[in-house]
């Protein structure tokens, strides 16, 4: 059965969606308000905040600057084999660091002419924040697309110490 809850965060209300199994809850999606291709709550989903208590605790610890690695069970599958490869590579990018799209493509042995395919796979990541696609930046250091919005990407990278805060 598909279950969901919402949790407040500095980025806005996060929608957590998961599968309930005999072994517990696995996360299938984490999305933000206004996110491209974010799932919408469906009538056949069950609201189950208690099932996401550990995920909510870890998210809170992340935003409180105490957690740098998530230990949240994800639902396996979803996406193409190529997307799965890219998503796994995202999980290997350490907290507080960034990597360029080209560097990520090199790690995956993807030809330079197909870097856009890597970007498209990153854009299809259903687990924003916990699968850190926000840590991938342009070759020139610019903030390229982020399904949750480039402003949130900057906030996350600043929070992690990968970017210096800007003075206004």
């Amino acid at each position: 059965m598909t279950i969901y809850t919402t949790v407040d965060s500095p980025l806005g209300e996060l929608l957590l969606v998961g599968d309930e199994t005999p072994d517990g809850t696995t996360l299938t999606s984490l999305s933000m308000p206004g996110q491209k291709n974010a799932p919408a709550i469906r009538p056949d989903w069950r609201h189950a905040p208690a099932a996401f208590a550990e995920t909510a605790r870890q998210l809170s610890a992340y935003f409180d600057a105490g957690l740098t690695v998530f230990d949240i069970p994800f639902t396996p599958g979803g996406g193409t084999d190529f997307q799965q490869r890219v998503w796994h590579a995202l999980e290997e990018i350490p907290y507080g660091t960034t990597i360029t799209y080209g560097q990520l493509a090199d790690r995956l042995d993807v030809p330079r002419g197909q870097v856009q395919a890597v970007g498209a796979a990153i854009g299809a990541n259903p687990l924003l924040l916990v699968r850190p696609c926000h840590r991938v930046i342009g070759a020139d250091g610019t903030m390229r697309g982020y399904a949750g919005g480039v402003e949130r990407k900057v906030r996350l990278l600043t929070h992690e110490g990968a970017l210096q805060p800007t003075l206004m």
Side-chain angles (χ1 to χ4, degrees), residues 92-114:
E92 304 299 318
I93 305 169
Y95 179 94
T97 66
T98 60
I99 186 173
T100 68
Y101 290 91
Q103 290 169 327
L104 186 60
D106 288 345
R107 283 189 186 179
L108 294 165
D109 292 322
V110 172
R112 284 288 175 158
Q114 295 179 9

Side-chain angles (χ1 to χ4, degrees), residues 46-132:
R46 185 170 57 83
H47 187 239
F52 294 98
E54 177 57 18
T55 299
R57 184 197 68 74
Q58 289 187 43
L59 289 167
S60 179
Y62 168 82
F63 286 115
D64 290 341
L67 184 74
T68 60
V69 177
F70 291 101
D71 184 20
I72 298 171
F74 306 147
T75 301
T80 65
D81 289 343
F82 180 74
Q83 287 172 328
Q84 289 288 334
R85 283 183 52 220
V86 172
W87 296 344
H88 178 73
L90 293 174
E91 294 168 14
E92 304 299 318
I93 305 169
Y95 179 94
T97 66
T98 60
I99 186 173
T100 68
Y101 290 91
Q103 290 169 327
L104 186 60
D106 288 345
R107 283 189 186 179
L108 294 165
D109 292 322
V110 172
R112 284 288 175 158
Q114 295 179 9
V115 171
Q116 285 184 326
V118 171
I122 292 169
N125 173 20
L127 296 167
L128 292 193
L129 188 60
V130 297
R131 185 182 285 142

Side-chain angles (χ1 to χ4, degrees), residues 2 8 14 17 19 22 32 36 45 51-52 72 75-76 78 95 100 105 115 132 145 150 158 160-161:
T2 300
D8 289 329
L14 304 178
V17 180
D19 289 329
M32 302 174 186
K36 297 176 194 170
W45 292 359
F52 294 98
I72 298 171
T75 301
Y95 179 94
T100 68
V115 171
V150 172
T158 302
E160 293 184 1

